Amino acid sequence: MEQWKKHSIYKIPSVVTNLNKKAYKPQAVSFGPYHYGEEHLMAMEVHKHRALVHFLKRCEKPIELVFQEMEQVVQELRDSYKPLDPIWILDTPKFIQMMILDGCFTLEILRANDRVADYAENDPIFSEHGKFYILPYIKRDMLMLENQISMTVLLTLIQHETRLEQEYDHELLNQKIVKLLNPRTHLIQSLGKCLHILDVYRKSLIQEEPSHPTTHVPEDIDAGEEIIRSAVELHEAGIHFKKSKTLSLKDISFDRGVLRLPTLVVDDTTEYMLLNIIAFERLHVGAGNEITSFTYFMDTMVDNAMDVAILNRKGIIINGLGSDKVVSKLFNSLSRDIAVDRHGVLDVVRTNMSKYCRKPWNRWHSNLIHTYFRNPWAIVSLIAGILLFVLTTVQTIYSVKQSYQSPDQSNSTISHNTPRPRRLP
């Protein structure tokens, strides 16, 4: 049990990676032991050594001292990996060397947005050119679950560099990570001590509490019944979509016919980002289920391009992929073979929406739209039918009224029209 508590970085099982192998493999740089030495990643190793040189010059301390400080936490670093190849247990110096190189390179990348004067203007990685062409691929690889290093590595190196007697504030490191990887989000609260960069990123996505509370599950709903509906079906049933007040992916609520959802930018990074976080929640006990539940919820909402179009118009999905059909396929593929908490908040939201859609008025409204408002010709036919019915009704009323005029009116009409008899002389 004590050993299980130390694990935080995992080798993803083949049953998961086989569904989408590219989503879990780094493309530009390796961090940690799982992808160390792979041929297509070796080109970045020379840049790691250059980053180490800059780091050592800046802190003005010998590499031996850095090695000694890292050696004090080496067992903690080994324990964070599950599993770990025996070669990294037998060869301690090689393992520490890898941690120092990867840690220094990571810190230099986190400072990429700050102008670091000691790098050349034509540096392949840390110049403006490198930030534009290379940094996006490095940021992608920093979010791979199998490509993580413990936050202890980064904190140890920062403590060594800053030469502070007191412990370095881990929240400052969290802010740098979020600023680089999730610039749309600003930390409004403490994320606490995180396990690694992917853990920081995940917590930044769900840091804010829902802006609208979710009501409890109605007691008259059977938990086993089908309550999943697409955005088109919900729209036809009279449910309105609105953006949540926060960007938190757990800020989803339903109240009195209004479903509030957070804005989500869907681009080339969305697939691997969500899949790696889902894998982390699946493998790490205590990580939570928020991102997995959100992904499953969005999959139930999006069946085809029409669902994406509705959510796009409401500003809930910002389509960076161009095609609504591509976005719908993306969501449909993300939730394959995932486990969802059937007693979570989002399940309550789905249940409440199901009850709303089952009300007679809402069902009638849905059937009316589905039957008569699907296309323009159906609308024209409906309007023409209503006008014909109204005109026929008016004509009928007028005819009945003429047939049942009062006797006084009839006699009066006859007396006025009958000529008076002429008097005889």
Side-chain angles (χ1 to χ4, degrees):
M1 291 174 61
E2 292 301 319
Q3 190 67 27
W4 292 338
K5 293 179 182 178
K6 300 174 183 178
H7 299 321
S8 60
I9 305 168
Y10 303 87
K11 190 77 173 177
I12 303 175
S14 59
V15 68
V16 176
T17 58
N18 286 342
L19 297 175
N20 191 338
K21 293 184 179 181
K22 291 184 178 180
Y24 304 99
K25 303 298 182 183
Q27 302 298 315
V29 60
S30 68
F31 296 101
Y34 287 149
H35 296 279
Y36 177 84
E38 293 184 3
E39 185 177 356
H40 70 288
L41 304 176
M42 291 304 295
M44 195 63 68
E45 292 301 310
V46 63
H47 302 302
K48 291 182 182 181
H49 283 83
R50 188 173 67 260
L52 173 62
V53 171
H54 282 263
F55 175 84
L56 293 174
K57 285 183 178 180
R58 202 177 301 121
C59 65
E60 298 178 346
K61 288 185 179 181
I63 183 64
E64 290 80 9
L65 185 57
V66 180
F67 196 94
Q68 291 173 8
E69 293 175 351
M70 200 65 66
E71 194 173 22
Q72 296 176 6
V73 294
V74 65
Q75 190 57 46
E76 176 186 344
L77 303 181
R78 284 171 172 160
D79 291 340
S80 63
Y81 292 96
K82 180 187 179 182
L84 184 63
D85 194 293
I87 188 175
W88 301 111
I89 300 175
L90 298 175
D91 195 342
T92 298
K94 185 176 181 179
F95 181 80
I96 294 178
Q97 177 182 326
M98 177 180 61
M99 292 291 105
I100 293 176
L101 282 172
D102 292 352
C104 288
F105 187 73
T106 300
L107 290 179
E108 298 300 282
I109 292 297
L110 293 177
R111 296 175 178 134
N113 291 329
D114 306 327
R115 290 188 172 273
V116 183
D118 55 353
Y119 282 101
E121 293 184 357
N122 62 344
D123 189 284
I125 305 298
F126 301 101
S127 64
E128 292 299 322
H129 179 88
K131 293 176 186 177
F132 185 77
Y133 286 102
I134 307 299
L135 186 59
Y137 296 98
I138 296 176
K139 290 164 62 175
R140 175 193 187 278
D141 291 346
M142 293 174 75
L143 293 177
M144 303 289 106
L145 175 57
E146 294 185 348
N147 216 33
Q148 299 296 309
I149 57 175
S150 172
M151 197 69 74
T152 301
V153 175
L154 305 181
L155 292 172
T156 301
L157 292 173
I158 291 176
Q159 194 75 24
H160 176 85
E161 180 185 25
T162 56
R163 288 173 279 186
L164 296 175
E165 294 183 0
Q166 67 274 20
E167 185 179 353
Y168 179 79
D169 185 4
H170 58 270
E171 288 299 334
L172 296 178
L173 180 56
N174 292 343
Q175 292 175 8
K176 285 182 176 292
I177 294 171
V178 173
K179 182 180 179 181
L180 176 70
L181 299 178
N182 193 12
R184 294 179 65 245
T185 299
H186 300 283
L187 293 184
I188 61 173
Q189 63 185 32
S190 171
L191 299 183
K193 289 188 177 182
C194 300
L195 301 170
H196 39 65
I197 287 178
L198 182 63
D199 189 32
V200 175
Y201 186 82
R202 175 190 171 276
K203 289 181 178 178
S204 72
L205 295 177
I206 58 173
Q207 61 172 321
E208 298 178 83
E209 294 299 324
S211 54
H212 290 78
T214 303
T215 57
H216 297 290
V217 181
E219 296 181 358
D220 58 337
I221 290 290
D222 182 7
E225 73 175 278
E226 181 67 34
I227 59 175
I228 300 175
R229 297 170 183 264
S230 68
V232 170
E233 293 173 320
L234 295 175
H235 178 69
E236 291 177 350
I239 291 179
H240 302 280
F241 300 100
K242 288 187 178 181
K243 293 189 296 184
S244 301
K245 293 183 179 180
T246 74
L247 295 176
S248 173
L249 296 189
K250 66 179 182 180
D251 191 2
I252 299 177
S253 62
F254 178 76
D255 183 36
R256 288 176 288 187
V258 177
L259 176 62
R260 289 179 172 84
L261 297 164
T263 299
L264 177 67
V265 178
V266 181
D267 54 23
D268 294 332
T269 69
T270 304
E271 181 178 27
Y272 69 79
M273 177 267 291
L274 289 176
L275 286 177
N276 278 273
I277 296 179
I278 290 171
F280 176 61
E281 291 183 343
R282 175 175 184 159
L283 296 172
H284 186 72
V285 177
N289 192 256
E290 290 87 352
I291 303 300
T292 303
S293 296
F294 169 80
T295 304
Y296 182 76
F297 185 88
M298 292 302 297
D299 177 40
T300 64
M301 293 274 296
V302 176
D303 283 342
N304 52 53
M306 294 178 61
D307 300 310
V308 177
I310 290 177
L311 298 177
N312 194 321
R313 289 197 301 268
K314 299 298 181 179
I316 293 169
I317 289 181
I318 300 178
N319 188 353
L321 297 178
S323 169
D324 290 341
K325 185 177 181 180
V326 173
V327 176
S328 66
K329 287 184 177 180
L330 171 63
F331 278 111
N332 296 156
S333 66
L334 288 176
S335 62
R336 288 183 296 176
D337 194 28
I338 64 174
V340 181
D341 182 9
R342 300 303 300 175
H343 301 286
V345 174
L346 294 187
D347 199 59
V348 175
V349 171
R350 282 197 301 271
T351 304
N352 288 333
M353 288 193 300
S354 178
K355 182 182 179 183
Y356 180 89
C357 295
R358 295 200 318 163
K359 291 181 179 179
W361 164 256
N362 295 320
R363 282 191 296 177
W364 178 85
H365 178 265
S366 176
N367 292 332
L368 179 66
I369 292 179
H370 183 80
T371 305
Y372 295 106
F373 294 100
R374 276 293 191 175
N375 58 72
W377 294 112
I379 297 175
V380 171
S381 300
L382 178 63
I383 295 175
I386 293 174
L387 289 176
L388 180 62
F389 175 76
V390 171
L391 292 175
T392 302
T393 302
V394 171
Q395 183 180 13
T396 302
I397 294 174
Y398 182 78
S399 300
V400 171
K401 185 176 180 181
Q402 289 294 323
S403 302
Y404 288 91
Q405 285 185 343
S406 63
D408 293 340
Q409 290 178 337
S410 300
N411 294 335
S412 174
T413 302
I414 295 174
S415 63
H416 283 297
N417 294 334
T418 304
R420 293 182 179 182
R422 301 177 66 181
R423 182 180 297 179
L424 295 175

